[in-house]
Amino acid sequence: MLDNKMPTDFLWGASIAANQIEGAWNEDGKGVSVIDTIATDMDEGVRVEVASAFEDEYYSSHKAVDFYHHYQEDIKLMGEMGLKAYRMSIAWTRIYPNGIEEEPNEAGLQFYDRIFEELSKYDIEPIVTISHYESPWYLAERGGWTNREMIDHYLKYCQTLFERYHEQVSYWITFNEINCTLVNFGIRTAVGLNASIPSEINNDNTRYQALHHQFLASAQAVKMAHDIDPTLKVGCMIASMVGYPLTSDPQDVFSTLQYEQMKNMFCSDVMIRGYYPSYSKRYFDEHHISFHTEPGDQQILAEGCVDFYSCSYYQSLCVSGQEEGEALGKDKAAGNLISGFGVKNPYLQESEWGWQIDATGLRYLLNTVYDRYQIPIMIVENGLGAKDELINGKIDDQYRIDYLQAHVEALMEAIKDGVNVIGYMPWSAIDLVALSTGSIEKRYGFIYVDANNQGEGSFKRYPKASYYWYKHVIESNGQSILKKSVTDERVTSF
């Protein structure tokens, strides 16, 4: 039996992103975000590259699961599940439709006023991501984060949020999965570039320039938040995918270290320590990467270190020092935005989308991160995407329960290891448009939404079996994670 070592104020919660649930993409003065321009193949449930915005395609984010018109019902269900925290994002273009306006859109602010009011009714702590892959399209068309002036637009947006909501929101995250700026989807959402853009524009210099400006913006936002209200806590958010050496070959071991440095730790090193790490200098030299900095940038980074570390964790991968085609594990690892850098682990099972399941990797990650930084940690994404089936008004997603239970066990072990984990917010509170596919059929939520990939359906909400399982976990502060008792309680409740 696991001893319950969980802190009494532990933030058991769940997560979402505005662009994946809200819909109402052009209502009440909302402007066009980069996500609003990314199409979806209705039949296949995959993202579609389009040459320009708003071609004759289907855009699943435009309606998503219509949280904008269902928020009271949805938050009530979350409250009844017992959530202590709700990691959410604010849609930048609801507040500043093009990003350049002098005054914010009051209708957009009032929408989030209502969200925070509803959350307060159920004593749910909001954890707010300021920028979650939805920069204003107007700014993206003009270079987005490659332009230093983007920092000022972002800080104006931050100031509006901090001044309006500092009494309702204690925890803020500056950028979602900031390290994904370095991959194709990330540069699309940060700069408006897609894979078809010529390499003379869409290259590593562009990516690191955009990332440098985001680092500066984040640091200044941290300082601004503390100036407005010293009690506010501001964190970074990293897409974390643990890498293991494919073999005991020393080259595999050292290549794994380099992978961990540049893929998992580089961004958090800058945002937590306040300077570019020494290992990045050689990487930039050897890859001929250069980007513009200005006098005073180092001081900005040093004065704006974040207060906590947050991350997404779904899976791990293996790393080989050999050329990709020569690696012993020849199958590339499937997965989220930073996948493709490794190969499959022969010891792990995988989801129906090919994502390898590794709960022990979460314990490993938490120990590694805490040893490195010694600041509080939140897990703000962790979950299993699956094709759930609604049968007679019920959804038996035992496979999701099994996945989450294993990861909560690993989390509890990490806390017993001495890691200061302050919150766990699985992905996702409610079904949403999956980021990797643009489809709804790849479901993550504790709450089922009756809608298909074409945006058709009743949009009625149904708690899944995992909803009741997680309710017991929260009520018992993790004690119900014992497999036998959880199974018995789930069947009874469901």
Side-chain angles (χ1 to χ4, degrees):
M1 177 176 178
L2 284 173
D3 293 330
N4 188 358
K5 301 289 186 180
M6 302 300 289
T8 56
D9 58 352
F10 189 78
L11 293 172
W12 295 103
S15 292
I16 57 86
N19 69 79
Q20 293 172 261
I21 67 164
E22 284 184 2
W25 71 285
N26 60 356
E27 292 187 34
D28 295 331
K30 182 184 177 297
V32 179
S33 76
V34 174
I35 285 285
D36 292 330
T37 73
I38 299 178
T40 303
D41 184 307
M42 293 189 296
D43 297 320
E44 299 298 324
V46 295
R47 294 288 187 183
V48 177
E49 288 282 7
V50 294
S52 61
F54 307 114
E55 291 185 359
D56 188 18
E57 299 282 355
Y58 175 70
Y59 299 85
S60 55
S61 66
H62 288 192
K63 188 173 184 180
V65 296
D66 200 27
F67 174 83
Y68 194 81
H69 299 108
H70 290 261
Y71 71 90
Q72 289 178 302
E73 171 190 359
D74 293 341
I75 293 174
K76 183 175 185 290
L77 283 168
M78 295 175 204
E80 291 172 348
M81 184 165 47
L83 293 191
K84 305 296 185 185
Y86 177 60
R87 185 259 177 152
M88 54 175 280
S89 68
I90 289 178
W92 187 342
T93 54
R94 287 203 192 280
I95 313 304
Y96 288 97
N98 291 313
I100 61 170
E101 293 82 3
E102 290 298 319
E103 298 296 328
N105 173 33
E106 182 61 24
L109 290 168
Q110 289 178 6
F111 171 67
Y112 293 107
D113 288 343
R114 296 192 294 273
I115 296 299
F116 296 134
E117 182 180 352
E118 288 298 312
L119 292 171
S120 179
K121 286 182 183 178
Y122 301 97
D123 295 320
I124 299 174
E125 178 94 33
I127 316 291
V128 175
T129 306
I130 298 168
S131 179
H132 193 129
Y133 295 139
E134 43 189 345
S135 299
W137 178 248
Y138 179 89
L139 293 177
E141 282 192 301
R142 289 152 180 80
W145 282 103
T146 61
N147 290 333
R148 196 175 177 101
E149 67 181 43
M150 189 76 162
I151 298 173
D152 290 335
H153 296 307
Y154 175 82
L155 292 176
K156 175 182 61 180
Y157 167 50
C158 288
Q159 183 173 356
T160 299
L161 299 186
F162 295 152
E163 290 180 347
R164 181 95 167 202
Y165 301 124
H166 69 96
E167 293 183 352
Q168 289 84 14
V169 181
S170 298
Y171 294 99
W172 300 84
I173 296 169
T174 52
F175 291 93
N176 178 70
E177 295 183 330
I178 192 170
N179 51 328
C180 288
T181 301
L182 302 176
V183 299
N184 278 333
F185 188 86
I187 200 66
R188 168 73 170 172
T189 57
V191 187
L193 299 178
N194 60 36
S196 65
I197 299 294
S199 59
E200 62 265 23
I201 300 173
N202 188 6
N203 56 37
D204 282 343
N205 290 341
T206 299
R207 294 163 192 259
Y208 279 96
Q209 186 68 71
L211 187 58
H212 179 67
H213 290 156
Q214 289 178 336
F215 286 152
L216 295 173
S218 176
Q220 291 176 79
V222 172
K223 191 171 185 299
M224 178 191 292
H226 292 163
D227 288 343
I228 291 173
D229 185 339
T231 68
L232 298 185
K233 302 297 183 185
V234 186
C236 62
M237 199 288 207
I238 307 298
S240 299
M241 188 181 290
V242 168
Y244 303 128
L246 182 63
T247 72
S248 56
D249 182 338
Q251 188 58 51
D252 284 1
V253 175
F254 194 77
S255 293
T256 303
L257 171 64
Q258 292 177 311
Y259 162 84
E260 286 287 334
Q261 287 175 332
M262 290 307 299
K263 303 303 180 186
N264 280 338
M265 299 299 183
F266 169 68
C267 291
S268 50
D269 277 354
V270 176
M271 300 175 81
I272 295 172
R273 293 172 168 171
Y275 55 87
Y276 279 83
S278 56
Y279 60 78
S280 66
K281 297 175 183 177
R282 178 172 180 175
Y283 182 88
F284 293 153
D285 287 344
E286 293 185 347
H287 291 81
H288 309 291
I289 295 169
S290 63
F291 50 91
H292 177 72
T293 64
E294 293 186 4
D297 283 1
Q298 177 53 60
Q299 184 176 351
I300 291 172
L301 295 177
E303 292 179 349
C305 297
V306 296
D307 302 306
F308 65 90
Y309 173 100
S310 71
C311 67
S312 59
Y313 177 82
Y314 294 94
Q315 63 179 112
S316 62
L317 51 74
C318 287
V319 179
S320 172
Q322 302 177 49
E323 292 296 324
E324 186 175 296
E326 299 173 356
L328 294 178
K330 295 181 181 178
D331 292 334
K332 290 179 65 174
N336 68 3
L337 302 181
I338 60 170
S339 64
F341 297 106
V343 294
K344 287 186 177 182
N345 188 328
Y347 296 99
L348 297 177
Q349 295 181 326
E350 60 187 42
S351 73
E352 60 186 299
W353 265 270
W355 294 32
Q356 295 200 285
I357 300 171
D358 178 18
T360 302
L362 177 60
R363 182 181 178 186
Y364 177 91
L365 171 70
L366 294 172
N367 274 274
T368 301
V369 168
Y370 194 63
D371 283 348
R372 193 178 189 96
Y373 301 126
Q374 296 290 304
I375 63 173
I377 298 172
M378 287 187 192
I379 304 155
V380 295
E381 289 187 31
N382 172 239
L384 180 71
K387 291 182 178 179
D388 299 333
E389 189 174 1
L390 178 66
I391 301 176
N392 297 324
K394 295 184 178 182
I395 305 93
D396 189 356
D397 57 340
Q398 183 64 41
Y399 39 84
R400 182 169 293 108
I401 293 172
D402 293 342
Y403 175 97
L404 292 173
Q405 178 165 302
H407 285 78
V408 172
E409 289 175 353
L411 158 68
M412 295 172 73
E413 289 296 326
I415 290 175
K416 290 198 288 184
D417 294 335
V419 179
N420 184 19
V421 187
I422 62 174
Y424 176 67
M425 282 141 257
W427 192 261
S428 54
I430 187 170
D431 284 347
L432 38 66
V433 173
L435 181 68
S436 58
T437 64
S439 68
I440 293 177
E441 70 174 353
K442 187 182 183 184
R443 298 177 184 273
Y444 283 89
F446 290 113
I447 301 166
Y448 184 94
V449 179
D450 180 29
N452 61 20
N453 285 352
Q454 291 77 27
E456 302 165 341
S458 69
F459 284 79
K460 186 175 179 180
R461 275 59 169 154
Y462 299 88
K464 303 178 187 178
S466 57
Y467 174 101
Y468 299 104
W469 169 85
Y470 196 43
K471 178 181 173 68
H472 294 321
V473 171
I474 298 170
E475 287 175 343
S476 68
N477 199 24
Q479 190 61 46
S480 69
I481 208 65
L482 296 170
K483 290 187 176 181
K484 183 176 186 302
S485 62
V486 167
T487 301
D488 291 346
E489 292 177 84
R490 183 192 71 83
V491 171
T492 301
S493 298
F494 185 54

